[in-house]
Amino acid sequence: MKDNNIQEVLSLLKLFLPEVYVGSIFHISPDFLKKRRIKGIITDLDNTLVEWDRPNATPKLMEWFNMMEKSGIKVTIVSNNNEKRVRLFSEPLGIPFISEAKKPMRRAFHKALASMGLSKDEVVVIGDQLLTDVLGGNRSGFKTILVVPVSSTDGFWTRLNRKIERKILSTLKRKGMLKWEE
């Protein structure tokens, strides 16, 4: 009975483990994705692509989007933020989006996948939070990439999530499940 409980806990912890952990979105190149047979990206917006309080894409981020497009890699932004915020960011770039996604719930991930016309094994979920992006992506059966948040400041709920994430990361590290150093 005790072994079953340990296995259940380890299975739950694996839901919070990204496949890859990188310093920023800019460490993810088309070659990096193509080697993994990835043709589509579902990405978070706030503190993944830009600071949570930055209204527009930076020139460097616009170059990254263009590089993905030229390489035939589809990108969809899936954000828990409100429609106005996500639309004002996404529309000028011509990037499809889903706002008020309620991550880690699966619905928005599946909607994004359907709109891209790809299979789960061809799509990666990228985000800065374990509790929304990684958990939601893993629960939905996608490969996941965790990025370091682009800003050290967060809104109230995200600050709360980060405290929980630190505890989860500490447990993963203690169990020898992390493949990287923070």
Side-chain angles (χ1 to χ4, degrees), residues 111-135:
K111 185 176 176 184
L113 178 67
S115 73
M116 286 191 259
L118 299 170
S119 64
K120 281 184 186 180
D121 62 329
E122 296 175 311
V123 176
V124 67
V125 173
I126 302 172
D128 68 303
Q129 291 189 63
L130 291 178
L131 295 178
T132 56
D133 309 307
V134 174
L135 177 61

Side-chain angles (χ1 to χ4, degrees), residues 85-144:
R85 158 67 172 141
V86 184
R87 181 179 300 281
L88 287 173
F89 180 88
S90 303
E91 278 189 345
L93 302 168
I95 305 279
F97 68 91
I98 297 170
S99 58
E100 300 172 24
K102 298 183 174 98
K103 296 181 289 181
M105 304 298 281
R106 297 177 183 153
R107 186 168 179 244
F109 293 105
H110 292 287
K111 185 176 176 184
L113 178 67
S115 73
M116 286 191 259
L118 299 170
S119 64
K120 281 184 186 180
D121 62 329
E122 296 175 311
V123 176
V124 67
V125 173
I126 302 172
D128 68 303
Q129 291 189 63
L130 291 178
L131 295 178
T132 56
D133 309 307
V134 174
L135 177 61
N138 285 343
R139 286 182 66 231
S140 299
F142 294 97
K143 296 171 184 166
T144 53

